[in-house]
Structure formats: structure tokens, C-alpha cells
Amino acid sequence: MTLWLSLAWLSAGFNAVLLVLLGSVWLRNYRQHGASHTLGLLVVAAFLLVENGLWLYFYLLNPTFRGWFLSTGTDIQVGVTLLCGLELVALLVLARVTWR
Amino acid sequence: MDDVLWYVLASSRGGPTRVRLLQALEERPRNANELATELDLDYTTVRHHLDVLMDNNILRRSGDEYAAVYLFTEQVEAHWETVEEVVETVDATE
């Protein structure tokens, strides 16, 4: 049952892509004017990018984690997948107000 | 309101352009067409940014759709020192 595992790493991957896009907007603006508000958002994006990188490592490259994930119950699989899935929804909302 | 001003004018993709619009409106109220001419921007681009500024209660429209001039909301006027600080920081005219 690899469906949830796939959904989980896809969410983490999309999060990383969105964070890079958001980060590029904030970095360009920050270099242009140096507002501390924008710097704050850049720092947030950097930490969230590391977080999603860590998830991607566990989901795709760590055999122990993958083994545990695939052998555990659906409730846990869904719950852990939602950690990245819900973050994706949050980042999409943020992207919408940032991209305008 | 302060956070909104920083976000909409400094930390979003269209922020620097919106700062230029506010600078033009600070001189005198103008309609969308005049703003497009003044800043050498597309009319649709100007309308997009004005809509964002209205959605965030930074600007309001006076009069009917087409000839309407854009004015600052009372809310923004109450936070004018923040507006000045943000505009000064972002100042896209460099």
C-alpha cells in the first residue's frame, strides 16, 4: 500500500517547489529594498525548506523510515501524510497572496 | 494594518509597482487611465494592482467605475506614518 507514501513525498516535493518560488520573490524584493518584514518571510521559507527536505529524505531515501511507514496502520499513514499535505494547503494560500 | 501594508507593498511580487501607484496618488487623486499613463504601465496591470490595494482596504474608489479616481481609505490615513515608512523603504523609483 504505497499510495499514502507517494502522496506524502509528493506533498513534501510540492512544498519545496512552492517555497523556492516564494523565496525567490522575497529574495528579489529583499535585495531591492532590504525591508525586515521581507527578511522575516525569507527566514521562515528557509526553515520550512529544510523541514521539507528532511521529509523528502525520510520518504525517499531512508529505508528504515520507509519500512516503518509501509508496515504501520492506515491511520498513522494518513496522519503523517497530512503533516505535509496540510502544509501544502497553507503554502498555496500564502503563494496566492504573495504572487499578486 | 501595518502588517498588511508591509506585505502588500514590500513582501509580495507586485509590491514595488504598488508603491509607485501610491506615490502617484499621494500627489493627487487620479483615475486608472491617468495612472497607467503617468507610470507607463498597461491599463490592465494598473487595474490589477488597484484591485489588490482595494481588496486590502488601502485604497477606495470615488465615483463610477470608469472615470473613478482612487483615494486613500481612512484606515490608511490613520496609519500614515507606516505608509511613509514602507514607501521610503521600498521606493521603487531607484
Side-chain angles (χ1 to χ4, degrees):
Chain A
M1 184 59 187
T2 58
L3 168 72
W4 293 106
L5 186 62
S6 302
L7 282 175
W9 75 256
L10 278 169
S11 297
F14 273 122
N15 287 346
V17 170
L18 272 176
L19 285 162
V20 167
L21 288 172
L22 286 168
S24 71
V25 171
W26 292 327
L27 185 64
R28 192 174 42 214
N29 285 22
Y30 180 69
R31 288 172 64 165
Q32 199 176 9
H33 55 60
S36 58
H37 183 276
T38 313
L39 179 62
L41 290 166
L42 256 179
V43 172
V44 170
F47 279 104
L48 288 178
L49 194 58
V50 173
E51 182 223 5
N52 282 285
L54 202 54
W55 278 122
L56 281 169
Y57 161 73
F58 279 130
Y59 287 139
L60 297 173
L61 300 172
N62 187 303
T64 314
F65 182 90
R66 286 171 60 91
W68 168 79
F69 189 97
L70 292 169
S71 65
T72 192
T74 308
D75 53 347
I76 292 185
Q77 292 193 2
V78 173
V80 174
T81 300
L82 276 177
L83 294 176
C84 283
L86 292 168
E87 189 181 328
L88 178 59
V89 177
L91 287 174
L92 282 169
V93 174
L94 197 58
R96 204 171 160 264
V97 298
T98 305
W99 209 255
R100 300 182 75 185
Chain B
M1 188 77 210
D2 288 8
D3 263 350
V4 171
L5 287 165
W6 282 108
Y7 209 105
V8 171
L9 301 173
S11 300
S12 51
R13 209 165 59 110
T17 307
R18 290 190 275 271
V19 164
R20 291 175 62 208
L21 286 168
L22 295 190
Q23 287 172 313
L25 290 170
E26 204 185 344
E27 287 170 24
R28 62 179 176 83
R30 291 174 156 97
N31 66 32
N33 251 319
E34 292 169 326
L35 286 164
T37 310
E38 173 74 18
L39 301 181
D40 196 21
L41 289 169
D42 239 28
Y43 176 79
T44 46
T45 305
V46 168
R47 277 302 302 268
H48 162 79
H49 290 302
L50 290 169
D51 286 344
V52 173
L53 290 164
M54 286 202 303
D55 285 348
N56 287 285
N57 294 323
I58 293 167
L59 293 179
R60 62 191 172 91
R61 243 203 318 246
S62 82
D64 60 327
E65 179 84 19
Y66 290 103
V69 295
Y70 289 81
L71 306 164
F72 292 102
T73 58
E74 281 175 25
Q75 201 184 6
V76 156
E77 281 170 358
H79 292 258
W80 196 251
E81 29 343 301
T82 307
V83 176
E84 295 204 310
E85 191 190 342
V86 178
V87 167
E88 205 174 302
T89 305
V90 176
D91 194 9
T93 54
E94 324 155 2

